[in-house]
Amino acid sequence: MSDHGFADVDPNKHVVLYVRAGWDGKGYGACPFCQRFYMVLDLKAKGAVLTYDIITVNPANPTDEFRKFASRLPVLKHLNEVIMDTEEIQAYLDETFPAPNLRYTNMHAHTACLDLFSKFSFFVKNVSHTPDHLVKELYNFDTFLAGSSHRFTCGNHLTYLDCNVLPKLQHIRVASEAFQDFRIPAELSAFWRYLGNAYKEDTFRKTCPSDQEIVRHWSEKKETAPLPARKHKIYSLESVPRFTLALPGYVTGK
């Protein structure tokens, strides 16, 4: 997957991001941590400070070449640098390609979405037998968003925080409904406004995995509740990929 879009690539400004492959071992899979940096690179590329390629890796059967320099995903490679730790990847990109500035200083925003993904994980894995803890975090996040007129968490432009939280919110939305028949409450208007703004962003749309891949990602975790039989056809990996990138009718009233 080549995303730089330029005939001539300056190796000093070119990076490669290795991400999780999909069900066929080749296509783009569903990993919120991989999507996080796919989004970051795309935003940096829009600022013309770098070019990038996305290379998918099958974690169950990585190539010999990949094994030589890495053992997990995502991985960022730039010149002779190979970085696997997510926070180190962000720090390296900040230092090497500082513009556009994606940093944020709003710790209230950071805290507001800090526990969302863990509460979702407990719910989808049946550690929590009700969605109560997840719902509480969703309401907390909605309350924070309702106190701001910005399009995103820390302003009107995507930041590192949005690149971190938005892929996780997509997993929460898709997987919660698939496995647990849970739909995010319509009354969380600020939350849906935020997600709707993300769906309008080219960077989010191009980096978002299919619903089927998100469901597969969670199906592979042995703790996850089984996918109801009536939904097997909906999320079949061999069907046409579907992408939930619009607000639901129960929110819009359509």
Side-chain angles (χ1 to χ4, degrees), residues 47-66:
V49 297
L50 59 75
T51 58
Y52 69 92
D53 282 326
I54 301 295
I55 296 180
T56 58
V57 176
N58 181 355
N61 187 29
T63 63
D64 291 339
E65 179 190 1
F66 181 80

Side-chain angles (χ1 to χ4, degrees), residues 120-129 179-180 217-227:
F120 153 72
S121 183
F122 290 153
F123 175 52
V124 82
K125 293 178 180 179
N126 271 341
V127 176
S128 298
H129 298 297
F179 292 101
Q180 299 283 22
H217 176 83
W218 291 97
S219 292
E220 290 187 337
K221 299 180 184 298
K222 61 182 181 180
E223 309 96 332
T224 302
L227 185 69

Side-chain angles (χ1 to χ4, degrees), residues 83-94:
I83 311 165
M84 287 180 279
D85 179 82
T86 54
E87 298 312 310
E88 289 180 10
I89 291 175
Q90 182 168 304
Y92 182 82
L93 290 172
D94 239 1

Side-chain angles (χ1 to χ4, degrees), residues 13 35 82 124 138 211 219:
K13 296 181 178 180
Q35 187 186 355
V82 175
V124 82
L138 288 168
D211 294 359
S219 292

Side-chain angles (χ1 to χ4, degrees), residues 138-167:
L138 288 168
Y139 271 84
N140 287 341
F141 188 42
D142 181 77
T143 298
F144 163 75
L145 293 171
S148 169
S149 60
H150 294 143
R151 297 181 67 240
F152 300 110
T153 54
C154 300
N156 290 322
H157 301 283
L158 294 167
T159 65
Y160 283 131
L161 182 59
D162 300 298
C163 293
N164 189 356
V165 72
L166 283 169

